[in-house]
Amino acid sequence: MPRFVFLALVLLFCHSAKAQTITATFDHQPVEAVIQALEDEFGLVFNYTNDILADQYITAACRKLPVEEALELLFAETDIAYELVSGKFVVLQGKEPIVIPTYRLCGRITDDQGEGLAFANLFLPATQGGGSTEADGSFDLYVRGEPQDLVEISYLGYETRQRTVQQLEACPTISLPLAAFSIQAVVI
């Protein structure tokens, strides 16, 4: 007897004037069992190698979804990519890993007089990464992102500056001017 049990499996073949829809519920079912059910009930044809199915399970429910949307939902939590061809033929393959490049940022942060600003902040909002300068204002750090991503450079009491990752790869010296403050008079 197979180790898995379908807790809830409802498959309905719905013909409409526009497109075939899929209604199905799977609770931690092996991908191979889900594929078999889709082939049997909806006439879909899957092409894949067995190695991409190993140790992958599907827990999802779709109600009257077009085939493309149902497949997107069913394979969303797996390492399997698919391509729907001619509305019936589905090619499965392993998803390509998303690679975010790493860049070396270096340089020096100074005040108007050229003195290094110790522990100034460098922050990349796009990736939530960053770092801070050394005691002499220098920095040398590695971040993930894209060349056009902005880096916010800040220091308490000084104006914040922005540079791109690409600009900071050239190890520049960046001067931060003092921030303008206005103080209200205190009347006693």
Side-chain angles (χ1 to χ4, degrees), residues 29-36 53 56-58 75 78 80 92:
Q29 299 305 310
V31 172
E32 193 168 15
V34 172
I35 289 171
Q36 188 63 52
L53 304 183
Q56 302 227 36
Y57 298 89
I58 294 177
F75 293 115
T78 69
I80 300 172
L92 299 179

Side-chain angles (χ1 to χ4, degrees), residues 83-110:
E83 182 178 347
L84 184 62
V85 181
S86 301
K88 289 273 189 193
F89 188 74
V90 184
V91 178
L92 299 179
Q93 59 192 16
K95 288 182 183 173
E96 293 293 321
I98 298 173
V99 178
I100 301 173
T102 300
Y103 295 93
R104 177 181 179 243
L105 307 184
C106 54
R108 190 163 184 253
I109 309 298
T110 65

Side-chain angles (χ1 to χ4, degrees), residues 61-142:
C62 46
R63 305 263 184 261
K64 295 184 181 179
L65 291 177
V67 173
E68 184 86 17
E69 289 179 38
L71 291 173
E72 182 71 30
L73 178 66
L74 292 171
F75 293 115
E77 299 298 320
T78 69
D79 292 332
I80 300 172
Y82 72 90
E83 182 178 347
L84 184 62
V85 181
S86 301
K88 289 273 189 193
F89 188 74
V90 184
V91 178
L92 299 179
Q93 59 192 16
K95 288 182 183 173
E96 293 293 321
I98 298 173
V99 178
I100 301 173
T102 300
Y103 295 93
R104 177 181 179 243
L105 307 184
C106 54
R108 190 163 184 253
I109 309 298
T110 65
D111 62 12
D112 288 339
Q113 283 74 44
E115 294 295 321
L117 295 175
F119 312 111
N121 297 306
L122 294 101
F123 177 69
L124 282 85
T127 61
Q128 301 293 304
S132 60
T133 61
E134 300 292 331
D136 64 352
S138 66
F139 62 94
D140 190 356
L141 55 120
Y142 291 85

Side-chain angles (χ1 to χ4, degrees), residues 6 15 18 21-22 30 37 43 49 59 63-64 66 87 102 109 120 137 140 154 174 179 187:
F6 283 112
H15 281 291
K18 294 182 182 177
T21 61
I22 294 178
T49 57
T59 298
R63 305 263 184 261
K64 295 184 181 179
T102 300
I109 309 298
D140 190 356
S154 62
I174 301 165
V187 178

